Amino acid sequence: MDNRPIGVFDSGLGGLTAVRELMRLLPGEDIVYFGDTGRVPYGNRSRETLEKYARQDCRFLLGKNVKRIIAACGTVSSVAPHVLKALPVRATGVVELAAEAAARITRNKRIGVIGTQATIHSGSFERHIRDRLPDAAVFPQACPLFVPLVENGWIGRDDEVALLTARRYLMPLKAAGVDTLILGCTHFPLLAPLIGDVMGDGVALIDSGREAAESCERELRRDGALNQTKKAGELHFYISDRPQDFTKVASMFLGREITGEVHTLDIEQVDRPEAGTVRG
Ligand code: DGL
């Protein structure tokens, strides 16, 4: 038994789609979430910057005495997996598990991957898919405009702008005949119904955050590291800036009202001795 919380981070609020899955699977676990809302988006940053951000985000969560870390960010998981591997606690990204699921599920070995520019440019999903299925044909597509669409709540199946954008990005993947599509960015599950409409019934959508949450559950059970105090788990929420409409957008990602206090911190200060100091 291990009653310490699970730490989850993302560039912003997209990682809450993974938290939603964690809360469903492990309702007794405490979760510390850090959303780097002051520095979002990560998806078009350089490798050096992403490595620094990933280190700082993890350092903050380690300061909260977490037992596991989930990098619920396709971009960090793709560009800075070595930062996660070097941590003193087990840390999971969202790439390997989603690639594994895709390799397992595909029937025609034609797999699409959508994510941020940095994720797609890194080739991370392709590499992990080919490790498991060497003869797979992988079709990567960066979909940067999906991120602001989701953040503005333009996610309805009948939203004309979202539909046009999705058609433009996804038509080449549909034409390529993929039967499996990895949602390689934690923002994208909110667009899943619309993406499903564009891709058609025969295409399986893989939610990379959900795969990571399910794997975390399996590992905690296997290791006997669940929180067994039988109470309802708490969500401790930290962000690096309070954006407009924060509560509305965060609740949309989490799939429920945000209750409890949301702390704002200066993540650049995490390297200093007073690491993790909360501003407000
Ligand atoms: N949630 C981030 C990811 O999974 C995307 C948003 C961003 O560009 O920061 O890659």
Side-chain angles (χ1 to χ4, degrees), residues 10-11 40-43 73-75 116 147 185-187:
D10 179 37
S11 56
V40 70
Y42 280 12
C73 175
T75 308
T116 64
V147 175
C185 168
T186 47
H187 277 63

Side-chain angles (χ1 to χ4, degrees), residues 218-265:
R218 284 193 299 274
E219 285 178 7
L220 291 178
R221 286 194 195 288
R222 182 199 64 201
D223 299 347
L226 289 169
N227 182 337
Q228 295 190 332
T229 51
K230 301 267 190 273
K231 63 174 175 53
E234 291 167 12
L235 176 59
H236 300 273
F237 211 132
Y238 296 85
I239 49 179
S240 50
D241 189 22
R242 199 177 179 97
Q244 282 200 351
D245 294 333
F246 165 77
T247 311
K248 197 171 111 210
V249 180
S251 303
M252 177 180 80
F253 278 105
L254 193 61
R256 64 170 81 174
E257 281 295 303
I258 299 282
T259 50
E261 217 177 327
V262 177
H263 306 282
T264 309
L265 67 115

Side-chain angles (χ1 to χ4, degrees), residues 24-201:
R24 183 176 62 79
L25 294 164
L26 295 168
E29 294 294 319
D30 292 331
I31 298 170
V32 180
Y33 183 80
F34 174 62
D36 199 357
T37 46
R39 305 191 294 195
V40 70
Y42 280 12
N44 50 7
R45 308 254 180 210
S46 69
R47 169 177 295 273
E48 292 70 31
T49 300
L50 287 168
E51 285 171 351
K52 176 183 135 186
Y53 287 0
R55 279 197 191 95
Q56 290 177 328
D57 299 348
C58 290
R59 200 165 298 147
F60 170 72
L61 290 176
L62 290 172
K64 296 290 164 198
N65 193 28
V66 295
K67 59 184 167 189
R68 287 280 200 291
I69 289 181
I70 298 180
C73 175
T75 308
V76 165
S77 310
S78 293
V79 178
H82 48 286
V83 172
L84 303 177
K85 285 205 179 83
L87 296 175
V89 302
R90 188 165 166 71
T92 320
V94 292
V95 173
E96 288 187 47
L97 299 154
E100 203 175 288
R104 199 175 54 241
I105 287 168
T106 184
R107 294 169 308 279
N108 69 2
K109 300 186 183 177
R110 300 175 79 76
I111 300 170
V113 180
I114 56 177
T116 64
Q117 310 257 27
T119 295
I120 295 303
H121 187 249
S122 76
S124 59
F125 282 97
E126 265 173 282
R127 268 196 309 284
H128 284 289
I129 292 168
R130 291 234 169 76
D131 279 352
R132 290 163 178 86
L133 207 58
D135 55 342
V138 182
F139 300 89
Q141 173 69 55
C143 301
L145 292 180
F146 277 174
V147 175
L149 280 177
V150 170
E151 282 174 357
N152 284 282
W154 293 15
I155 55 174
R157 295 167 101 154
D158 53 355
D159 187 286
E160 287 173 24
V161 179
L163 204 53
L164 272 178
T165 312
R167 284 205 186 110
R168 176 125 176 211
Y169 282 142
L170 302 175
M171 276 310 162
L173 304 182
K174 193 173 159 73
V178 303
D179 73 353
T180 307
L181 178 63
I182 298 180
L183 310 182
C185 168
T186 47
H187 277 63
F188 296 177
L190 289 169
L191 285 167
L194 184 128
I195 291 172
D197 288 345
V198 173
M199 294 305 292
D201 279 345

